[in-house]
Structure formats: C-alpha cells, structure tokens
Amino acid sequence: GESVGLHLPTLSVQEGDNSIINCAYSNSASDYFIWYKQESGKGPQFIIDIRSNMDKRQGQRVTVLLNKTVKHLSLQIAATQPGDSAVYFCAGLNAGNNRKLIWGLGTSLAVNP
Amino acid sequence: DAGVIQSPRHEVTEMGQEVTLRCKPISGHDYLFWYRQTMMRGLELLIYFNNNVPIDDSGMPEDRFSAKMPNASFSTLKIQPSEPRDSAVYFCASSFGGFYGYTFGSGTRLTVV
C-alpha cells in the first residue's frame, strides 16, 4: 500500500550545524508534500510545503528538496538551534479521487548545545 | 486568531464510559480533520468534514467512534464505549481549501483505564 516513511527515527546534531531529514514515498502520483514540526505536548506545526512541479523550495532557514526520480524528499535546516528540537513529519498527498495525506512516522531531531 | 481550540486537554476515563472530545476550528476554514496519534501507528486520519459535511470516515476504527459537525465552528468526536486501546492523543485540524497546510490544535490526551 501507499506509505511515506523516513530513513532515520532519530537525528542528533550540534547547535549551529545544518540538519538534513530525509523522507521516502511510494506513490509516484503524489503531487504535494508537506513538512510538519511537532514539539513535545503540542500539535504538529506546518513548516513548508512543495508541489511536484518543483524540485526545491526555500523558507526561513529551511529548504525542502524533492527528487521525483527516486521518490525522495528532504528537509534541510540551516544553523540548527535548540528550538529546532522536535519530531519532524513528512506527508504526501496522494493523487486521484480519494485525496488524503499519507504521513510518515516522524524523525526526532535532538540539538546538542 | 486563537487557532484551533480543543477541549479538554487531558481526559482520563474508565473503560466503558462515553468520551466526548471537542474542537473549534479557525474561523473561515471550510475543512476540519480529526486525527489520532500513537507511538505505534503515528498520525491516523479518522474523519474529515468539508462545509460541515462528513466526506471520508474510512479511518474511524469502528462503530464505537462517531463524529459530528453541527455548524462551522464546532465539532465533536465521541467514543462510546471507550476501551483502553483508545488511549492516544486526538488532534483536530482545520484548513481553507483542503489538505494544503492545515493548522492543528494542541490535542486531547485520552487515557482509558
């Protein structure tokens, strides 16, 4: 069945370094992807999204890269800060009549001071 | 804007009791989603509404779960009777226009003992 998964369940980085969180998806017809950040005790918070007609999109300190050839996307966080510590989820919108987001299980990012 | 408001934040109930979770979406949003989050299964879409009408309830685990949206500013998710395996964090989210970058509430942590 369809799935959106992440390569690593946990990622530990030093403050100030760049972080890269990876995500793979199985449905080649997915045409929209979102990254969410979830801090402890809170609901997921929208970070950035990208449509399948793009291969890169930048936000404030974040960049999402989409490689449709290998069905892979990544979230890059520049100059990682302690406040970036959270669980990061990718989600893909499956195309077709029954459109719904398919969520990955999340990657926990820990930022070491 | 106060965002998506959920109540209660925490609920502890005994097995067999009825549980009602409440959600107030962001004013002007026409989509409302109910999600369940557990460590084992991650985020699961239970049901979503468009203009107060249930569109897809295929994620509702069984007949013990029901959801209503009597008006554009209020929705409920009811579990009757509750079971220990229903213990999870339940999130409500809303958006304008569909699945694109919706806003989550802070969630209700349900514990059934």
Side-chain angles (χ1 to χ4, degrees):
Chain A
E2 292 185 19
S3 67
V4 177
L6 287 87
H7 290 300
L8 295 173
T10 61
L11 177 66
S12 182
V13 299
Q14 289 298 123
E15 181 178 356
D17 288 350
N18 297 333
S19 303
I20 300 176
I21 302 172
N22 295 305
C23 185
Y25 61 96
S26 60
N27 186 352
S28 58
S30 296
D31 58 6
Y32 175 74
F33 302 89
I34 314 177
W35 282 98
Y36 280 86
K37 170 187 179 183
Q38 186 175 22
E39 297 175 272
S40 180
K42 298 183 179 180
Q45 178 184 10
F46 172 86
I47 301 174
I48 191 168
D49 59 2
I50 188 168
R51 296 184 185 274
S52 60
N53 61 351
M54 305 170 68
D55 53 20
K56 180 179 180 179
R57 190 164 189 221
Q58 288 184 292
Q60 186 177 11
R61 282 200 308 118
V62 295
T63 301
V64 56
L65 300 178
L66 175 62
N67 185 330
K68 294 180 287 294
T69 302
V70 295
K71 293 185 284 188
H72 178 272
L73 69 158
S74 65
L75 177 71
Q76 300 179 1
I77 305 173
T80 312
Q81 303 169 359
D84 295 326
S85 294
V87 177
Y88 290 80
F89 294 93
C90 64
L93 186 61
N94 65 327
N97 294 329
N98 187 21
R99 290 174 71 78
K100 59 176 65 173
L101 279 175
I102 308 298
W103 292 78
L105 292 177
T107 291
S108 178
L109 175 66
V111 181
N112 303 314
Chain B
D1 196 326
V4 177
I5 300 173
Q6 291 186 247
S7 64
R9 286 299 310 274
H10 302 274
E11 177 81 30
V12 180
T13 191
E14 292 185 346
M15 182 174 62
Q17 296 298 306
E18 177 180 294
V19 175
T20 300
L21 311 180
R22 297 173 174 80
C23 175
K24 176 179 170 56
I26 291 174
S27 177
H29 281 188
D30 58 349
Y31 279 79
L32 184 139
F33 307 83
W34 281 101
Y35 276 88
R36 178 172 67 178
Q37 185 177 40
T38 61
M39 288 297 294
M40 292 299 296
R41 301 170 70 94
L43 276 163
E44 302 174 277
L45 177 64
L46 301 177
I47 185 172
Y48 75 92
F49 297 82
N50 177 215
N51 291 323
N52 314 337
V53 176
I55 303 300
D56 185 349
D57 65 353
S58 60
M60 297 285 262
E62 46 197 275
D63 292 344
R64 297 184 298 105
F65 286 69
S66 62
K68 294 182 180 180
M69 191 165 185
N71 56 63
S73 60
F74 184 66
S75 177
T76 59
L77 178 67
K78 185 176 295 186
I79 309 172
Q80 166 64 19
S82 57
E83 297 182 3
R85 61 192 168 118
D86 302 330
S87 297
V89 180
Y90 291 81
F91 287 104
C92 175
S94 71
S95 74
F96 179 74
F99 287 91
Y100 305 99
Y102 41 71
T103 302
F104 282 84
S106 297
T108 294
R109 180 173 295 277
L110 173 66
T111 304
V112 183
V113 298

